[in-house]
Amino acid sequence: MITRRNFIINTSLATATVLALPSLAFTMDKKEIGLQLYTLRDELPKDVKSTLEKVAKAGYKTVETYGFSIKDQFWGLTPIEFKKILDTNNLKAPSGHYNLGSFLYDGNLEEVKAAIEAARILKNEYLTVPWVDEPYRNDFHKIAARLNEAGKMCAAAGLKLAYHNHDFEFQKQDEITGYEILLKETDHDLVSFELDLYWVIRSGNDPIKLFKENPGRFKLWHVKDMDKVNPSLNTEIGSGSIDFKTIFKEAKQSGMKHFFVEQENNYNPNAFEAIKTSCDFILKELI
């Protein structure tokens, strides 16, 4: 017979056990592994349909889109047509990379409005800014202000805005890095960050330190491994030098909701086999 006292003790122990498990530090679907489609940038323009079929067969449930332009849309497909192919393969796109042109510098809204319309059709949750052109990197205060402006537009459309880093944001300008300016001067309620773990580490910084100093701000991650011999190259997840097991234990503190595998080069033996290798490792070792 289970007494009330024993029930309370057992329940407390079970709760403590669950809280102690790092693999349960965040609540995303265990099977929800995402892929940044830029990984397959050589294949997608040739055949979007068969490429996405292979992504799904490799084990991915979500993707992060890229490549949208006002002129060509998604490699000649309208957002509606592209969404149908995603749906056919049971793929969701919680985030999309949208190049906002020169908006971050001169405030031209044409690209922003087009990106928001496409993101809504694809049912993106996040509209993610992937890049700042080199001529515009000299004033991160202005970039932060533009991100806040775009964040308001996204919020009004039922979307969220995120900013994706490379390594140039970590260079100092007047004793402060561009990334520090962005974290400090963007509105927490309007602008989130997609942390590219490879580029953070490549720049000599520690992602876990960023999590501790800015808890909850990194809603998205790029999970991209670093070649052990040549750090300028990528490799399949689990084959490189980045300690993802330690980083994933801090997912809750970072605020991570979605993550996307990305590999830009050095595929072994080819891009499709590489993304499957990465997916298999993540399923077995990380989540």
Side-chain angles (χ1 to χ4, degrees):
M1 178 177 178
I2 300 175
T3 67
R4 181 176 181 277
R5 179 175 179 274
N6 287 338
F7 174 79
I8 292 172
I9 291 173
N10 291 338
T11 302
S12 299
L13 288 172
T15 302
T17 301
V18 170
L19 291 174
L21 290 173
S23 62
L24 299 178
F26 55 104
T27 58
M28 64 177 292
D29 183 340
K30 182 175 172 63
K31 302 296 184 181
E32 190 182 287
I33 300 175
L35 178 71
Q36 165 50 255
L37 292 177
Y38 187 73
T39 302
L40 303 173
R41 63 193 177 280
D42 293 331
E43 288 77 13
L44 271 166
K46 301 173 188 175
D47 191 338
V48 176
K49 183 175 180 293
S50 67
T51 299
L52 291 180
E53 287 174 354
K54 292 175 182 177
V55 169
K57 287 180 181 178
Y60 293 89
K61 300 298 182 183
T62 69
V63 297
E64 183 174 50
T65 62
Y66 85 99
F68 174 80
S69 71
I70 293 176
K71 179 182 177 182
D72 297 321
Q73 305 286 287
F74 290 100
W75 312 286
L77 297 172
T78 67
I80 292 175
E81 292 169 333
F82 186 42
K83 179 68 165 61
K84 287 181 180 178
I85 299 175
L86 290 172
D87 290 344
T88 297
N89 291 284
N90 296 313
L91 292 170
K92 298 177 183 179
S95 175
H97 276 195
Y98 294 92
N99 191 339
L100 300 188
S102 63
F103 166 76
L104 295 180
Y105 183 77
D106 64 18
N108 187 317
L109 294 175
E110 183 181 16
E111 289 279 359
V112 183
K113 292 177 180 178
I116 286 175
E117 182 180 357
R120 291 186 67 183
I121 292 171
L122 292 186
K123 298 189 181 303
N124 295 148
E125 181 181 356
Y126 290 90
L127 188 159
T128 301
V129 178
W131 176 257
V132 176
D133 291 333
E134 191 168 357
Y136 307 142
R137 297 176 191 170
N138 61 346
D139 190 349
F140 277 90
H141 300 286
K142 178 179 283 188
I143 293 171
R146 296 296 188 200
L147 289 173
N148 286 332
E149 184 180 348
K152 290 178 182 177
M153 294 177 65
C154 286
L159 297 166
K160 301 171 185 175
L161 185 78
Y163 178 88
H164 167 272
N165 67 280
H166 289 79
D167 59 345
F168 61 82
E169 292 92 346
F170 294 95
Q171 296 172 5
K172 285 198 172 182
Q173 300 179 355
D174 298 326
E175 301 305 314
I176 188 171
T177 69
Y179 207 66
E180 287 173 317
I181 293 172
L182 295 181
L183 285 166
K184 181 180 179 180
E185 297 185 11
T186 53
D187 188 320
H188 290 214
D189 295 327
L190 294 176
V191 180
S192 297
F193 289 83
E194 178 173 64
L195 203 67
D196 189 305
L197 298 170
Y198 167 87
W199 282 116
V200 171
I201 293 170
R202 179 84 192 278
S203 69
N205 289 275
D206 181 359
I208 294 177
K209 184 174 183 288
L210 284 171
F211 300 160
K212 291 178 179 178
E213 293 174 347
N214 307 274
R217 295 214 72 185
F218 307 100
K219 306 297 186 186
L220 309 170
W221 290 359
H222 270 191
V223 177
K224 178 163 55 183
D225 214 341
M226 184 183 295
D227 186 81
K228 292 179 179 179
V229 176
N230 184 352
S232 68
L233 296 177
N234 302 159
T235 188
E236 293 71 43
I237 308 304
S239 301
S241 61
I242 296 179
D243 180 8
F244 287 111
K245 290 184 180 180
T246 298
I247 296 172
F248 266 76
K249 290 178 182 178
E250 305 301 325
K252 184 176 181 180
Q253 184 174 47
S254 84
M256 189 263 278
K257 301 297 183 185
H258 305 283
F259 71 87
F260 305 96
V261 170
E262 185 179 40
Q263 186 171 345
E264 298 185 31
N265 50 52
N266 198 28
Y267 310 105
N268 183 28
N270 58 60
F272 291 116
E273 288 297 325
I275 65 170
K276 187 176 190 312
T277 297
S278 291
C279 187
D280 290 346
F281 178 84
I282 292 169
L283 277 174
K284 182 179 179 182
E285 301 292 341
L286 298 182
I287 64 174

